Amino acid sequence: MINNIIRKIQEDRKYTFLAISGFCLVFLWFNMKVLHFGFFGFVGLLVYWGILGIWLAGIFGQRAKLNRNWSIFFGLILAVYLTSFFMAFFLVVWKITMELALLGLVVMTFLAWFFRGKSELEARTDYKAEGGLRIKLWMWVVLIFSASLVFASLFLGRTGEFIFSPWNVVISRHLYLYILATFIVFLIVFSRYKLRVILVIVILHSFFLHSYLPVIYKTGFGGDRWRHLGAERWLMDGKVLSPSLLGKNASYKKIGPFSVPEVLVAGDRTSYANQWGLTIFLSWVMGIDAFWVDIFLVFILWSLILPLLLARIGRFFTDRKWFLGLMAMLPALFYPMQFYGSLTVPVAFGFLYFVFLVVLWLKYLEEKEAGKNFLVLLLVLTGLAYLNYALYFILILEIGILVVCFKHLVLAKMIIGKKSFLGIFLGLGVLFLGVIPWFDKISGFSKFNFGGGFFRGIVNLGEFFLEKVLALGWASKVPDFISRGNFIFMQTEESLVKADLFKLLNWQMFTTIFLWAGIFLGILRIARMKCFRTGVFWVLFLGIFLFNHFISMYYMKGERLFAKRMDLTIVFFMLPLAAWGIFWLLRGKIALKARMVLVSLALAIFSGVVYASGPESKVMVGENDWGAGKYIWADISTQNGDRDNYCVLANTWKLLALEAASGREIVGGGFPMHSSYQQPERAELWRNMIDTPRFSYMDKALELTGADFCYLIAEKKWLGGGEMEKQMKIEALKSLFGGYKSVGEVYIFYYEQ
């Protein structure tokens, strides 16, 4: 039955499904404009994406030679990201409205229908079935019980108050329950179940793993999301974000002898537009605030998509079922994978499309008779990545260039005995060793600093590999830029969890040794991979990206915008090698089941160690901060006249809430903004006003902002001193201003000359 439905959708001889998709679009537009039925809008969108995904599946089936199941999976991913890219296109060119969003979907529908293809209907079993552990009923009971207690712990700890880390509010045995549930899941990975069952369990574990931030933090984690939310609210009002390609906000930038539209080289616009666009579109479709879409978008997409993409990457190494399940599960052992899968930020949202493209480029490398149509498809999809995160666009270009060069220049010539193009290929590899530092330099926020001589280079290299790469914090002094973290842990000074487990042994050291032993063993076993050339490329990419990161972080000064965001990419290339090495520990039949149990236990404990290393943040917008921001913006909006200048004197995270609530109308409280969002004048005025309340400070604030009136926001917990001193400061402010508005323990004072 399913095969018949898929065949009819792909053939669509009577235009039935084209009509259904058109009806879905009309319904979505009418729902956005009139009905506002969130559930029905969501269902309509899923039906629409489902039809598009099946049409696009035919493209992957014919050109990439993927079987039916993988073709449909890739088609669905492309349907979601094409939606985001069309929304991003309008944001970059001009602005986004519901009508333009509908126009983008109409164009996307006809393109998908026109280029649809017929994928292979038979879902081939593309893995080797094998035995394994027998999972007994009591194990399922333990898994469900421990996972339920973990979720109960998260929901009991759910808070809108400021906390440094989730570990401040969960129950004391939360970590042990997590390790127990994860241990059972690793046993299932090595069990006799079919691969599809294992992958479903791994996906559920992915939701389980990444739920700690969306569940615990009522207002979301960190500070960056509020800036994105502010931009999304601004754009939802039909406003144009400067610079743009069209309209009065269009501007040009001189690059050599050429003048190009500034928006095309403004990395923040092209990097953020696809996440902004999809968030706005989903907010309209489901009739909910972008605030909620922003909290759950990446959490859901990451948990559904990444485990399956990693399993597909595993097939370049081997068809063994255990390895494919291990690939899907191993992100639990790397903190960047744990953290970014819980948080909706562009570097995480763009990462999924980057992995999607990496799989396709490796598939192209693997195919001995890949046609030109496949290469054209890859070039188009890679070109779309320009509207993805800028870092990933650069990296996927590197990967694509090396793959094409090797396949069409080196490999083709070596087959007939010529090696002249091998030097070109190696030269490109050497050239790519400095690409990221070069982009950091031309961004204008960083510059090279090669002083110190040969000895400094040796010391730097040692620090980098001992701390940043190997995560052996006890072996070297931690450089300032590392900020206590590395590719495996969020921080290495101590566990954020005060559990007895961490008082017994240095578990971070054991975790590091285990993972890197697996990586080195995996590299040594590259020759045993199903596709040897893919393994060589994988190691090559890891080396290139590590070297790029090293040069930027040790031999450059400034922001290093690209290098600081490479952690996810480097971990991504470490992960399969670690999985390949661990898989080889399970080779052979001697005491196989005992080894499976021991490896599963070790992996679960090490996952818990990584889990306990973070997150920690000193910038968080609490529920009361969000309420205060919404109150101030509502109060300003009720006053007559349009205003260009605003004045709100407060600490940073309260101003982030206001930026989001006002839809980016009030940024930084209206005070001058310097590089890296620094506002020394505002920070000094706020501290002076809190310590020694005087209207002269408020007058100075009005002078700096050019506003007619000003708000002061103060919260007792951030006033400094003991409890009695804090209360005295609050009373002094009340006495000075007279009236005030309180949102929880956040006090809002109004002042005008």
Side-chain angles (χ1 to χ4, degrees):
M1 179 180 176
I2 295 177
N3 285 348
N4 288 333
I5 293 174
I6 293 172
R7 188 187 72 250
K8 289 180 179 179
I9 292 175
Q10 290 180 338
E11 294 177 350
D12 201 19
R13 293 174 180 173
K14 298 182 179 181
Y15 312 110
T16 304
F17 292 97
L18 181 61
I20 293 175
S21 62
F23 173 78
C24 288
L25 293 182
V26 173
F27 172 75
L28 289 176
W29 182 83
F30 191 69
N31 187 60
M32 288 189 292
K33 298 290 287 188
V34 180
L35 299 178
H36 307 296
F37 292 157
F39 174 76
F40 293 109
F42 181 64
V43 172
L45 180 61
L46 290 183
V47 172
Y48 172 73
W49 275 346
I51 294 174
L52 244 68
I54 293 175
W55 283 342
L56 295 170
I59 298 175
F60 292 110
Q62 290 181 347
R63 290 165 174 78
K65 301 298 186 291
L66 297 174
N67 72 14
R68 188 198 68 191
N69 291 340
W70 285 114
S71 294
I72 292 175
F73 174 62
F74 275 67
L76 290 172
I77 294 176
L78 186 56
V80 173
Y81 273 87
L82 277 179
T83 304
S84 76
F85 291 143
F86 270 96
M87 302 304 118
F89 172 78
F90 292 120
L91 289 178
V92 170
V93 171
W94 187 33
K95 64 180 180 179
I96 187 169
T97 64
M98 292 183 183
E99 290 73 20
L100 289 175
L102 178 64
L103 175 62
L105 294 181
V106 169
V107 173
M108 186 170 73
T109 301
F110 279 105
L111 287 174
W113 181 83
F114 182 79
F115 288 105
R116 73 192 187 281
K118 187 176 179 181
S119 64
E120 180 184 338
L121 291 180
E122 294 299 325
R124 301 190 308 268
T125 300
D126 51 5
Y127 66 91
K128 292 183 179 179
E130 52 195 337
L133 298 172
R134 185 184 298 276
I135 305 300
K136 299 181 180 179
L137 178 61
W138 67 266
M139 295 181 181
W140 285 106
V141 172
V142 170
L143 174 60
I144 295 172
F145 179 72
S146 57
S148 299
L149 288 180
V150 168
F151 277 116
S153 170
L154 294 176
F155 279 101
L156 288 173
R158 184 170 170 80
T159 180
E161 298 295 320
F162 178 89
I163 52 175
F164 283 106
S165 171
W167 299 104
N168 298 141
V169 293
V170 296
I171 62 176
S172 59
R173 295 294 179 261
H174 180 98
L175 179 61
Y176 299 122
L177 292 168
Y178 167 82
I179 292 174
L180 179 58
T182 303
F183 172 53
I184 302 297
V185 173
F186 272 115
L187 292 178
I188 293 173
V189 167
F190 299 123
S191 71
R192 302 178 181 181
Y193 288 114
K194 292 182 177 180
L195 180 62
R196 66 183 62 182
V197 175
I198 293 173
L199 291 178
V200 168
I201 299 300
V202 171
I203 288 172
L204 292 176
H205 183 274
S206 185
F207 279 103
F208 169 74
L209 170 66
H210 299 117
S211 61
Y212 67 141
L213 294 185
V215 172
I216 286 181
Y217 291 89
K218 289 184 179 180
T219 52
F221 179 84
D224 286 345
R225 70 176 298 268
W226 296 98
R227 294 191 172 97
H228 295 300
L229 183 58
E232 289 154 5
R233 285 171 171 259
W234 170 282
L235 295 164
M236 289 177 76
D237 289 337
K239 298 174 182 176
V240 181
L241 202 60
S242 182
S244 64
L245 192 61
L246 301 176
K248 63 180 182 180
N249 291 324
S251 60
Y252 291 82
K253 188 173 184 178
K254 199 78 171 176
I255 299 181
F258 304 103
S259 293
V260 298
E262 187 177 357
V263 68
L264 298 181
V265 293
D268 56 339
R269 289 295 301 283
T270 54
S271 292
Y272 303 161
N274 64 332
Q275 179 188 302
W276 291 349
L278 188 60
T279 299
I280 291 169
F281 177 69
L282 292 176
S283 176
W284 283 338
V285 166
M286 295 188 288
I288 61 176
D289 197 314
F291 173 90
W292 295 107
V293 179
D294 192 80
I295 287 180
F296 293 104
L297 177 60
V298 167
F299 165 66
I300 294 173
L301 291 179
W302 188 288
S303 299
L304 288 173
I305 293 175
L306 188 64
L308 296 178
L309 286 177
L310 289 174
R312 186 61 188 78
I313 289 173
R315 289 205 60 242
F316 297 116
F317 287 68
T318 181
D319 292 329
R320 297 290 294 275
K321 180 188 69 174
W322 297 339
F323 179 74
L324 303 184
L326 184 61
M327 276 286 295
M329 187 65 186
L330 215 59
L333 272 78
F334 294 89
Y335 183 78
M337 292 283 188
Q338 291 187 4
F339 176 71
Y340 284 110
S342 310
L343 198 64
T344 302
V345 288
V347 68
F349 182 73
F351 178 73
L352 296 175
Y353 189 70
F354 170 74
V355 176
F356 169 81
L357 289 178
V358 169
V359 176
L360 291 176
W361 275 112
L362 292 180
K363 178 66 176 174
Y364 181 75
L365 177 66
E366 180 190 49
E367 290 291 329
K368 295 181 179 179
E369 298 180 359
K372 292 182 179 179
N373 288 337
F374 189 8
L375 180 58
V376 170
L377 173 65
L378 275 171
L379 293 176
V380 171
L381 295 179
T382 301
L384 289 174
Y386 179 74
L387 293 175
N388 199 42
Y389 201 69
L391 171 66
Y392 300 136
F393 179 61
I394 295 168
L395 297 181
I396 201 63
L397 281 180
E398 291 186 44
I399 291 171
I401 290 171
L402 283 175
V403 168
V404 171
C405 177
F406 178 80
K407 191 174 182 70
H408 292 280
L409 296 180
V410 178
L411 188 63
K413 299 300 180 182
M414 290 180 69
I415 290 175
I416 60 176
K418 296 182 179 180
K419 299 183 180 181
S420 57
F421 287 93
L422 183 60
I424 298 176
F425 176 74
L426 295 176
L428 279 174
V430 172
L431 177 65
F432 288 155
L433 291 176
V435 166
I436 296 303
W438 184 73
F439 273 99
D440 273 329
K441 173 68 169 62
I442 65 174
S443 70
F445 295 100
S446 306
K447 60 182 181 180
F448 286 104
N449 176 29
F450 287 107
F454 177 78
F455 178 74
R456 180 199 167 195
I458 298 298
V459 172
N460 288 347
L461 193 62
E463 282 185 351
F464 179 73
F465 276 96
L466 287 173
E467 177 60 37
K468 188 69 176 180
V469 177
L470 300 180
L472 300 177
W474 50 270
S476 67
K477 182 180 178 181
V478 183
D480 292 339
F481 73 81
I482 288 178
S483 186
R484 301 180 302 162
N486 45 62
F487 300 128
I488 299 176
F489 308 107
M490 185 267 177
Q491 56 94 30
T492 56
E493 289 184 349
E494 60 178 345
S495 169
L496 295 174
V497 185
K498 307 304 179 184
D500 294 336
L501 174 69
F502 297 101
K503 297 177 182 178
L504 300 176
L505 294 169
N506 187 345
W507 286 103
Q508 289 193 346
M509 180 184 69
F510 288 112
T511 304
T512 296
I513 293 173
F514 181 84
L515 285 176
W516 275 101
I519 291 171
F520 288 132
L521 179 58
I523 293 174
L524 293 175
R525 296 289 183 175
I526 283 295
R528 305 296 295 272
M529 282 178 53
K530 185 177 74 171
C531 183
F532 174 68
R533 73 182 70 160
T534 302
V536 173
F537 265 78
W538 203 270
V539 176
L540 176 65
F541 294 146
L542 177 60
I544 289 174
F545 297 152
L546 276 173
F547 191 83
N548 274 265
H549 189 80
F550 168 70
I551 293 297
S552 284
M553 300 310 291
Y554 275 96
Y555 293 101
M556 298 192 77
K557 290 183 177 180
E559 293 298 320
R560 293 162 292 196
L561 297 176
F562 291 100
K564 285 184 176 179
R565 289 157 178 80
M566 289 187 68
D567 284 13
L568 259 181
T569 309
I570 291 172
V571 166
F572 168 64
F573 282 95
M574 290 167 57
L575 188 150
L577 297 173
W580 188 234
I582 294 169
F583 174 72
W584 275 90
L585 295 176
L586 302 175
R587 300 285 291 181
K589 297 183 179 180
I590 300 176
L592 177 59
K593 292 184 178 180
R595 280 184 285 142
M596 286 180 172
V597 173
L598 289 176
V599 168
S600 297
L601 180 60
L603 291 173
I605 293 175
F606 297 152
S607 176
V609 174
V610 174
Y611 188 56
S613 71
E616 184 180 35
S617 176
K618 296 181 180 179
V619 177
M620 176 193 162
V621 175
E623 201 170 19
N624 293 334
D625 301 327
W626 179 229
K630 291 191 290 185
Y631 167 79
I632 290 176
W633 180 241
D635 190 51
I636 292 176
S637 300
T638 59
Q639 302 184 38
N640 295 327
D642 295 330
R643 299 183 181 277
D644 294 325
N645 300 312
Y646 301 93
C647 177
V648 181
L649 188 56
N651 60 15
T652 301
W653 38 98
K654 290 173 176 55
L655 295 180
L656 289 174
L658 180 59
E659 181 176 339
S662 66
R664 218 175 189 180
E665 289 282 356
I666 307 177
V667 178
F671 288 86
M673 185 79 70
H674 304 282
S675 62
S676 302
Y677 301 104
Q678 296 297 312
Q679 292 183 291
E681 300 94 344
R682 189 263 308 164
E684 182 181 3
L685 274 179
W686 184 78
R687 177 49 57 194
N688 290 338
M689 190 65 199
I690 294 300
D691 292 339
T692 56
R694 295 174 186 170
F695 281 141
S696 59
Y697 295 130
M698 300 302 293
D699 292 333
K700 182 64 175 177
L702 292 176
E703 179 186 335
L704 285 171
T705 59
D708 300 324
F709 55 86
C710 195
Y711 295 87
L712 172 70
I713 307 178
E715 187 175 6
K716 188 176 177 180
K717 71 172 66 174
W718 301 112
L719 299 186
E723 188 66 25
M724 183 176 295
E725 185 179 352
K726 291 178 181 179
Q727 186 61 40
M728 289 175 62
K729 289 180 179 180
I730 287 292
E731 294 302 326
L733 291 171
K734 291 179 181 179
S735 175
L736 180 66
F737 285 91
Y740 65 92
K741 168 71 177 179
S742 64
V743 180
E745 292 189 352
V746 176
Y747 294 89
I748 303 168
F749 303 94
Y750 179 84
Y751 174 77
E752 63 180 330
Q753 290 177 324

